[in-house]
Amino acid sequence: PRALRTMTTLAFSAVRVTGTSTLRVSRPRAVAVRRAVTHRSPRVRRPIVGSASSRDENNDPATSGRTIDAFVVPGEPSFPGMYADWSVTKEDKVEVWSYRVCLTTVALTTLACASPVLVGQDLPWLSNNLSYFMGASSLGAALYLIHMYVDPIKKFMQALWVTGFAGSVGIALTTHEQVPQYVATHPAAVWLVGPMFAALTGVAFKEGMCYGKPECAALFFLIPVTLLGHLSGVIGEGGEKGLLVTWCALIAIFASRKYTQAVKDDIGDKSVFIWNAMTEVEQGEWLKVTRELDPSRYARLIQEQ
């Protein structure tokens, strides 16, 4: 009957859910269903393009719960990146400030270990293994926190640090002397500790190239010249002292000037780190989202690739 058909039409309605149609029974009282959407600010090393529950069977970007601004924090400034726009998160700030504190510790311990040269007398309470290994450990932490686009270079610098740190431990355990004093009186020991200072030279190169800091460019040349000069003995004691004093001054300037940079500048293009941390599947999905929602950026990416 016509009345029955009318009641049936009112009782059932088609609702589209992620590309499929289901039937929902109408109820006398409307029920509001709220969907809580939580913004996720993915960390650089563990980005999340889309969870399994948010992906539909057709991988449609418009319905999968993924958006082109997935890495932008609401209420925070956003910055254009190569692969996506991004914001600085609380985790980013902690990471950057920890990196700066590590560099400051390296600078202070360098001054402590070089104090006999700086003040003209032995200061065993400053120039000792505690200061040396505190600075060495801080350099290792800085190499872990440093933002570098080319990950193999970063890993190579970390390997250099491990080698030099192991050599330093070997000196401390086998000679029972303070490492700074032992290296000062035994030039050949540079072969053992040198790789760690090569890693520090790499940090200076990165900071000098990325931010145009003259003190870092100077350190890039000064550190190897000082160590090789001490190893070969061609510079002489007076020349070594002059180079060491200059080294201390430059690294102090370098560490202090890090605090004048904006956090975003220390990060660089965060979208590059996000992209590199994705799996191939996630990269493909993100390109689909970019092609659908940001065609101009997608065209740039395809052209550069």
Side-chain angles (χ1 to χ4, degrees), residues 22-42:
T22 61
L23 293 179
R24 181 179 63 191
V25 179
S26 300
R27 299 184 179 181
R29 184 176 300 176
V31 180
V33 180
R34 298 180 180 177
R35 299 183 63 187
V37 180
T38 304
H39 176 80
R40 178 171 295 184
S41 301

Side-chain angles (χ1 to χ4, degrees), residues 41 43 73 76 87-97 263 270:
S41 301
R43 300 186 65 177
V73 180
E76 295 290 337
S87 297
V88 176
T89 64
K90 293 181 180 178
E91 291 80 7
D92 294 330
K93 293 177 182 178
V94 171
E95 193 172 79
V96 168
W97 281 95
V263 172
K270 183 178 175 181

Side-chain angles (χ1 to χ4, degrees), residues 96-296:
V96 168
W97 281 95
S98 297
Y99 171 69
R100 295 174 178 179
V101 170
C102 288
L103 292 180
T104 300
T105 305
V106 172
L108 292 176
T109 53
T110 299
L111 296 174
C113 291
S115 58
V117 175
L118 299 177
V119 301
Q121 62 180 352
D122 291 335
L123 297 175
W125 57 277
L126 274 179
S127 183
N128 52 38
N129 282 343
L130 176 62
S131 297
Y132 180 85
F133 283 105
M134 183 181 297
S137 300
S138 296
L139 176 60
L143 288 170
Y144 174 77
L145 296 169
I146 192 172
H147 289 85
M148 296 184 67
Y149 297 135
V150 185
D151 195 57
I153 295 179
K154 179 177 179 178
K155 284 183 169 56
F156 178 68
M157 291 168 58
Q158 291 172 337
L160 288 174
W161 175 85
V162 170
T163 304
F165 190 86
S168 301
V169 172
I171 292 175
L173 294 178
T174 58
T175 66
H176 304 290
E177 295 185 28
Q178 306 301 317
V179 176
Q181 282 71 31
Y182 185 85
V183 175
T185 56
H186 299 79
V190 170
W191 290 108
L192 297 175
V193 303
M196 185 169 63
F197 290 95
L200 177 60
T201 304
V203 174
F205 178 79
K206 180 264 181 185
E207 294 285 340
M209 288 293 294
C210 291
Y211 309 115
K213 295 184 175 182
E215 68 273 16
C216 294
L219 280 172
F220 173 71
F221 293 101
L222 183 64
I223 294 174
V225 168
T226 302
L227 293 175
L228 292 175
H230 181 63
L231 176 64
S232 63
V234 298
I235 297 179
E237 185 177 351
E240 288 183 17
K241 288 183 178 180
L243 291 174
L244 188 57
V245 170
T246 306
W247 179 345
C248 292
L250 290 175
I251 200 169
I253 295 172
F254 165 43
S256 60
R257 288 189 65 197
K258 287 300 295 179
Y259 295 96
T260 64
Q261 288 183 233
V263 172
K264 69 176 183 63
D265 294 336
D266 248 334
I267 296 174
D269 185 353
K270 183 178 175 181
S271 71
V272 175
F273 300 108
I274 294 173
W275 173 264
N276 291 338
M278 291 181 181
T279 64
E280 291 186 2
V281 174
E282 289 176 328
Q283 289 177 352
E285 291 179 350
W286 185 254
L287 286 177
K288 291 180 181 178
V289 176
T290 305
R291 181 177 57 188
E292 180 75 17
L293 303 179
D294 195 346
S296 59

